[in-house]
Amino acid sequence: MNYKLNLAMVATAILSGSTLAHAGGEGWSSDFAASAKLAAAENKVMLVDFTGSDWCGWCIKLDKEVFSHDEFKNGVKDGFVLVELDYPRDKSKLSPETIAQNEELKGKYAIRGYPTILLMDGEGRPFAKTGYQAGGPEKYVTHLNELTERKKLRDEAFASAEKLEGVEKAKALVAALKAIGLDEAMLGAFYGEQIEAIKKADPKDESGFAKGIALKAKMADFEKELNALASQQKFEEAQELVAKNIASGDFEGPMLQQLVFVEGMIHAQLGDLDKALVSLDKADAVVPGSPMAKRIAAIKAKITQDMEAKKAEGDKAEEE
């Protein structure tokens, strides 16, 4: 039984279909740099849609239910600059320049799933993240307007923090960044000025923020190296990489659980199902009742089923 190594904690639901979503249609631009200049000049928000227009079911569904309707177009025309970054299977739809731009931005913004909708200011700094939302165009516009308030709150919080000093300033900036609602990796990529200010104001890291950023960066490096090894089917080397990171003692909680979970998946990939079950039990115990619990239980059940089936085949062979 082949157990694919995959760091994704939740399987992405993909609907079949070859319908082309908006793909640079009316009101949408595929030129990121030009859109950023326009957003800055007109004090508008960039709505950047990372999409797979000819294969991603949720992207197609979002386009059909929201983006293609006049209620959406009219609702966003005054406050948003619409940007589509498309990753279709049929790349003949895009110019080589657009393909190169989109690939660069996919890495820059650490996009892992589609559709991903980022709201950004004219400097390209994201301040909100969303995706498919049920309810139709008017509800979606309301959702976007609510998210846009985060930009105002962000700027006000940053301004207020500048009036403070020392640890109090650091804590105010930490609270402002956390209120944005983005993960630490994205904050680290786009809010370097504030992060440096936090480190300077709180050199002893009493807020714990610098440590969190460093751990997220280390986890991102681990994932990149692990995925490279997995793509080359170098599972023994991947096993050593995981063991080294677990033994480092740097990780705890959900991050440690992910590492131990991956350890179990590698054991399964290599055919050592007994060790796989041991690691999955350990992963479950790291954060009991975590969001991963059901996934871990399902994989354990599948492995147990495979072990029983293999034993039954062996018993039958002996009888014959």
Side-chain angles (χ1 to χ4, degrees):
M1 179 59 65
N2 181 37
Y3 297 89
K4 292 183 179 179
L5 180 61
N6 189 342
L7 282 174
M9 295 299 104
V10 180
T12 303
I14 299 298
L15 305 179
S16 62
S18 59
T19 305
L20 181 67
H22 48 85
E26 181 182 358
W28 292 83
S29 171
S30 61
D31 190 328
F32 184 88
S35 297
K37 289 181 180 179
L38 179 62
E42 299 187 358
N43 194 28
K44 292 183 177 180
V45 170
M46 279 203 296
L47 185 159
V48 184
D49 177 22
F50 293 82
T51 184
S53 65
D54 64 358
W55 63 269
C56 168
W58 291 111
C59 304
I60 295 167
K61 191 174 176 65
L62 180 58
D63 180 64
K64 285 183 176 181
E65 295 182 7
V66 177
F67 295 152
S68 62
H69 292 267
D70 288 339
E71 292 88 346
F72 173 79
K73 297 173 185 176
N74 293 331
V76 299
K77 66 180 181 180
D78 294 329
F80 296 85
V81 175
L82 305 180
V83 185
E84 179 188 72
L85 302 178
D86 194 11
Y87 302 84
R89 287 178 176 161
D90 180 2
K91 297 189 181 300
S92 66
K93 300 177 176 71
L94 306 177
S95 69
E97 293 78 12
T98 299
I99 292 174
Q101 170 202 257
N102 292 1
E103 286 301 318
E104 179 184 355
L105 292 170
K106 176 184 176 182
K108 181 177 181 179
Y109 288 95
I111 302 303
R112 297 185 178 182
Y114 305 91
T116 293
I117 308 292
L118 293 179
L119 299 187
M120 308 179 188
D121 58 26
E123 297 178 27
R125 293 188 303 173
F127 59 84
K129 179 179 179 180
T130 187
Y132 172 80
Q133 296 283 329
E138 293 178 340
K139 185 175 180 180
Y140 204 88
V141 171
T142 299
H143 171 61
L144 293 176
N145 288 334
E146 291 173 349
L147 291 178
T148 300
E149 286 296 308
R150 291 186 187 178
K151 179 176 180 292
K152 177 182 177 181
L153 295 174
R154 177 199 71 180
D155 295 344
E156 290 176 348
F158 286 168
S160 296
E162 285 303 312
K163 300 175 184 178
L164 303 174
E165 295 181 357
V167 176
E168 291 305 312
K169 177 178 180 178
K171 290 182 177 180
L173 286 171
V174 169
L177 291 176
K178 288 184 176 180
I180 295 173
L182 301 176
D183 62 42
E184 284 88 345
M186 193 169 289
L187 291 175
F190 295 98
Y191 291 91
E193 179 182 346
Q194 286 72 32
I195 291 172
E196 286 305 311
I198 291 170
K199 292 179 180 178
K200 184 177 179 180
D202 183 17
K204 294 183 180 180
D205 194 27
E206 293 182 31
S207 67
F209 187 74
K211 179 181 178 181
I213 289 288
L215 284 177
K216 281 290 185 179
K218 185 173 181 178
M219 178 60 89
D221 289 341
F222 161 76
E223 290 181 4
K224 184 177 180 180
E225 189 174 353
L226 178 67
N227 288 331
L229 292 172
S231 67
Q232 299 173 56
Q233 302 293 299
K234 295 182 178 180
F235 294 108
E236 288 83 2
E237 293 180 34
Q239 191 174 49
E240 293 177 3
L241 175 67
V242 175
K244 181 180 72 174
N245 278 273
I246 292 174
S248 72
D250 293 335
F251 300 100
E252 57 186 20
M255 285 188 183
L256 178 60
Q257 185 176 53
Q258 288 185 33
L259 292 174
V260 181
F261 172 80
V262 172
E263 178 184 60
M265 295 303 291
I266 295 175
H267 284 314
Q269 180 72 56
L270 294 172
D272 197 334
L273 302 187
D274 287 318
K275 285 187 177 180
L277 287 177
V278 171
S279 290
L280 291 172
D281 281 337
K282 289 180 179 178
D284 199 23
V286 171
V287 187
S290 73
M292 283 189 65
K294 288 184 179 181
R295 178 170 172 79
I296 292 172
I299 294 174
K300 286 171 56 180
K302 177 61 178 172
I303 290 175
T304 300
Q305 182 181 21
D306 291 342
M307 292 174 69
E308 291 174 350
K310 185 176 181 180
K311 183 177 183 301
E313 289 177 3
D315 292 345
K316 184 177 180 181
E318 289 181 3
E319 291 176 359
E320 294 175 352

